[in-house]
Amino acid sequence: MPRRLSVVAAVAAAMVTVTIAPALAVSGGAGSYGFAAKLTADGRACSGALVAPAWVITAASCFPENADGGSPVKDTTVVVGRSDLSTTNGVVAHVSTLVPDAGHTVMLAKLDKAATGIAPVTLTSAAPVAGTTVRLAGFGRTATEWLPNLLHTNTFTVGTVDAAQLVLQSPDSDACKGDAGAPAFQEVDGKSVLVGVTTSSLQHGCMGVEQPQQGTTEVRADTLAAWIGQQTAPQQISCTPATVWSQRDDGLLWKYVHNGPGDGSISWVTPTASVGSGWLGHLLAGPDGVVYDIHKNTGTADPNPDGTLKRWVWTGTKWTGGGKVGSSWQRYFTPEYVNRITVDSQGRIFAIDTTGALRTYAWNNTTGTFDNPGGEVLGTGWAQYNSITAAGDGVLYARNPAGNLYRYQYSAATKTWLQRAELVGSGWQKFSEIFSPGGDVLYGRFFPTTANAKLLWFRRDDRTDTWIEATGKVVGSGWNTQLHVAADPSACAPSN
């Protein structure tokens, strides 16, 4: 961590360890800066600033349980664009991912939905200049209020500046508890330009503090600008050629390979012969050549009743396995449930049951069984969706009958939802089936007429909460004779 200035060294440790609850608030007047954010978790509170539509910067000390970032240990709510917390203006989101800087002094918090319509604070690589005036905006304590509902701001003079930090000075004001992470900024040509991120303070002028000394310490924002830009830029993905399994209505199984799953280029390896027969039920594709068959009985010579779950592995030249790993899955033959089951990039099956609960089934290669044959319930109320598609590690796209598409993300490590029901599209009712090779890439089978049957390719970027391709690229035609189509869900994954 960069060296702290001597003016705040005596209290820095105490200040940093109490941030989201006691934490740092500006003992000045009210302001109206839409990029200002309030973060709350388990009774603790911090301030921050929107630096990109789906990203807020704050102090790393606001997340003591997440020193190295990752999924937040404690559910954290973020309010952006609401200078008066008693109103309903702005956007309310949850933190899905945390990314600390190299010095672990600040933290970037990824929101589970973009703060659409709110202008982020402007970043700059220009160094701060001692003697200039800046403004600090935060939601913490003031000179007269313990838990204010209003965003408070005050002006400061930039004092000492070193390679990593700067100190703000004012004769009657400091950052207070609840202001950790608060932005310091300058007004330049009508824009608010980020100068610093609050990390500690002597709390001069704050309610309940008798402190004659003054000083608020900031991490220099110009030293963070390039890093912020890298972290909030569109997500890059890395893809291998995607195996696409085509189950025909005659029970034959065909293996295609799409060489362009990452960019939607039209480059396919088309098979000349099928690789299996008797696939009359419902196939599910997993990673590493795994293909599940929700089996449909083929006749008196077939010992497996309807709904038997069989697990096969394609070695590249032949099938292995095929043993029974479950039973009574026949509901997924029916039109009501046929699209309510999917497999993610880690090989977990996600399925909506008859009660509307979402269940997950994790395969254990050591035991050769599911860890919980009955499935682990992740949530209820999923009967509202008629289709779910896994598109990454715990990433689910859920469609309702009206054609609205929602994105979810579940962390198996923390057993928490990182994102819930973010509306990401409409008009998806036109697809008979939606499947994915991972990496937030989606394929949709669309055939308004037999002569116009298409396979469309889409890609969404989770970092920016935008579509890289929203209208769909046509990557194939004639995909209307299949019973089911599925892709290896681990072909694409984030690469940065």
Side-chain angles (χ1 to χ4, degrees):
M1 180 178 293
R3 177 180 60 84
R4 293 192 177 276
L5 299 177
S6 59
V7 69
V8 295
V11 297
M15 287 301 301
V16 169
T17 56
V18 292
T19 51
I20 303 186
L24 283 173
V26 182
S27 51
S32 180
Y33 299 94
F35 56 81
K38 181 173 182 177
L39 299 86
T40 58
D42 194 26
R44 307 180 308 189
C46 274
S47 299
L50 191 73
V51 292
W55 292 87
V56 164
I57 195 166
T58 187
S61 54
C62 297
F63 297 92
E65 303 90 356
N66 284 91
D68 296 321
S71 304
V73 173
K74 296 188 176 181
D75 181 47
T76 305
T77 301
V78 181
V79 179
V80 185
R82 186 180 297 178
S83 59
D84 183 347
L85 298 177
S86 66
T87 70
T88 58
N89 298 329
V91 173
V92 179
H94 292 266
V95 174
S96 62
T97 305
L98 295 166
V99 183
D101 72 316
H104 288 71
T105 52
V106 300
M107 191 78 78
L108 277 171
K110 169 70 172 61
L111 307 184
D112 66 352
K113 62 180 178 180
T116 304
I118 300 172
V121 68
T122 300
L123 302 177
T124 181
S125 58
V129 178
T132 57
T133 299
V134 300
R135 183 174 293 276
L136 192 68
F139 286 94
R141 194 177 300 177
T142 70
T144 58
E145 295 177 282
W146 196 263
L147 293 172
N149 267 336
L150 297 178
L151 174 70
H152 288 265
T153 78
N154 208 350
T155 56
F156 291 78
T157 300
V158 176
T160 308
V161 179
D162 71 8
Q165 300 180 133
L166 57 94
V167 174
L168 302 183
Q169 301 286 348
S170 172
D172 60 357
S173 183
D174 249 337
C176 303
K177 294 187 176 184
D179 286 331
F185 52 94
Q186 288 179 312
E187 299 295 335
V188 180
D189 296 329
K191 295 182 178 180
S192 297
V193 179
L194 189 65
V195 173
V197 178
T198 305
T199 56
S200 64
S201 169
L202 290 174
Q203 301 186 76
H204 175 72
C206 300
M207 187 177 184
V209 177
E210 298 294 333
Q211 170 58 265
Q213 292 180 303
Q214 190 275 344
T216 294
T217 301
E218 308 279 314
V219 174
R220 283 177 50 175
D222 62 298
T223 66
L224 303 171
W227 170 74
I228 293 171
Q230 291 170 356
Q231 297 301 320
T232 61
Q235 178 76 67
Q236 302 298 309
I237 62 172
S238 176
C239 298
T240 59
T243 297
V244 178
W245 302 98
S246 170
Q247 178 187 1
R248 305 290 177 83
D249 53 13
D250 59 4
L252 295 180
L253 184 63
W254 296 74
K255 177 180 174 288
Y256 291 78
V257 176
H258 186 202
N259 291 320
D263 61 6
S265 59
I266 303 175
S267 176
W268 290 86
V269 178
T270 304
T272 58
S274 65
V275 294
S277 60
W279 292 75
L280 295 169
H282 191 336
L283 73 81
L284 301 168
D288 303 319
V290 172
V291 179
Y292 290 97
D293 171 28
I294 303 178
H295 191 71
K296 189 172 183 64
N297 186 269
T298 57
T300 56
D302 184 352
N304 297 293
D306 282 355
T308 300
L309 185 65
K310 303 172 74 175
R311 186 178 187 273
W312 296 90
V313 179
W314 177 254
T315 66
T317 57
K318 64 179 182 179
W319 292 101
T320 62
K324 174 182 175 180
V325 296
S327 59
S328 302
W329 290 67
Q330 61 268 26
R331 74 175 65 93
Y332 299 103
F333 297 160
T334 67
E336 182 182 1
Y337 283 92
V338 68
N339 289 324
R340 290 178 168 181
I341 188 166
T342 187
V343 183
D344 78 350
S345 63
Q346 306 305 303
R348 295 181 290 259
I349 297 175
F350 292 80
I352 301 172
D353 69 15
T354 55
T355 70
L358 179 69
R359 294 177 182 269
T360 185
Y361 303 80
W363 180 258
N364 188 316
N365 281 319
T366 301
T367 63
T369 61
F370 290 107
D371 286 336
N372 183 349
E376 178 185 355
V377 175
L378 302 185
T380 57
W382 285 74
Q384 65 182 300
Y385 300 120
N386 61 12
S387 171
I388 56 172
T389 304
D393 183 356
V395 175
L396 292 177
Y397 285 86
R399 180 190 67 187
N400 66 14
N404 293 326
L405 192 68
Y406 300 85
R407 190 182 188 275
Y408 288 77
Q409 186 170 7
Y410 179 75
S411 169
T414 61
K415 296 188 179 300
T416 58
W417 287 99
L418 305 181
Q419 186 178 56
R420 291 177 183 265
E422 180 185 3
L423 178 63
V424 296
S426 59
W428 286 75
Q429 71 276 11
K430 66 184 179 183
F431 296 110
S432 66
E433 191 168 37
I434 305 166
F435 59 101
S436 173
D440 280 281
V441 172
L442 299 176
Y443 297 95
R445 289 208 295 143
F446 173 55
F447 36 96
T449 65
T450 300
N452 195 28
K454 300 175 183 178
L455 185 66
L456 299 182
W457 175 95
F458 302 81
R459 183 187 160 204
R460 184 166 177 82
D461 179 43
D462 178 52
R463 261 196 198 163
T464 59
D465 276 332
T466 58
W467 288 94
I468 301 298
E469 175 55 60
T471 58
K473 287 184 181 180
V474 177
V475 294
S477 59
W479 288 76
N480 58 315
T481 61
Q482 287 80 1
L483 187 62
H484 296 295
V485 183
D488 176 346
S490 64
C492 294
S495 60
N496 68 332

